[in-house]
Amino acid sequence: MDTYDILLYGSYLLIAVGAVVSILMPLIQSLDNPKSLVKTAAGIIGIAVLFFIAYSISSNEVLPKFEADPFNLTPAGSQFVGGMLITTYILALLALLSIVYTEFNKAIK
């Protein structure tokens, strides 16, 4: 095993530890204030509902060139990707509109 491989696996481990800690620590801190957990749960449920709406309106059509190797895309996979893209577009638009609203609101005050 080369030094580069050892350092690469070490960096994978540090990334995994950082991801776990960044998810668990806010949950542990929010146990002192359960109302913050309700707000977090409402946000997660809202994004899930938005995804299922986007998933239901997305198409499951797959072009023949994407059905074969190396893509092997199925109609269900195509609909999932479409739902994710529509969800991303809607969330990006909402973020942009909220930035514009905030700036106008600060300019008026």
Side-chain angles (χ1 to χ4, degrees):
M1 190 179 274
D2 218 9
T3 305
Y4 295 116
D5 292 337
I6 294 171
L7 293 176
L8 189 62
Y9 291 132
S11 66
Y12 290 159
L13 176 68
L14 289 175
I15 289 171
V17 168
V20 168
V21 168
S22 68
I23 291 170
L24 288 180
M25 288 307 291
L27 289 175
I28 293 171
Q29 291 292 333
S30 64
L31 292 177
D32 295 338
N33 186 7
K35 290 183 182 181
S36 66
L37 286 175
V38 173
K39 291 179 184 178
T40 303
I44 292 172
I45 290 171
I47 290 175
V49 167
L50 178 66
F51 169 72
F52 285 118
I53 291 170
Y55 180 80
S56 66
I57 63 173
S58 64
S59 172
N60 62 356
E61 181 181 350
V62 180
L63 295 176
K65 68 179 181 178
F66 295 119
E67 289 178 336
D69 285 333
F71 301 108
N72 295 328
L73 189 62
T74 63
S78 175
Q79 190 170 12
F80 180 77
V81 170
M84 291 297 279
L85 284 172
I86 292 171
T87 303
T88 302
Y89 297 152
I90 292 171
L91 290 174
L93 182 65
L94 286 174
L96 183 65
L97 290 175
S98 67
I99 291 169
V100 169
Y101 172 76
T102 302
E103 290 301 318
F104 277 131
N105 197 15
K106 283 199 295 187
I108 291 173
K109 288 183 180 180

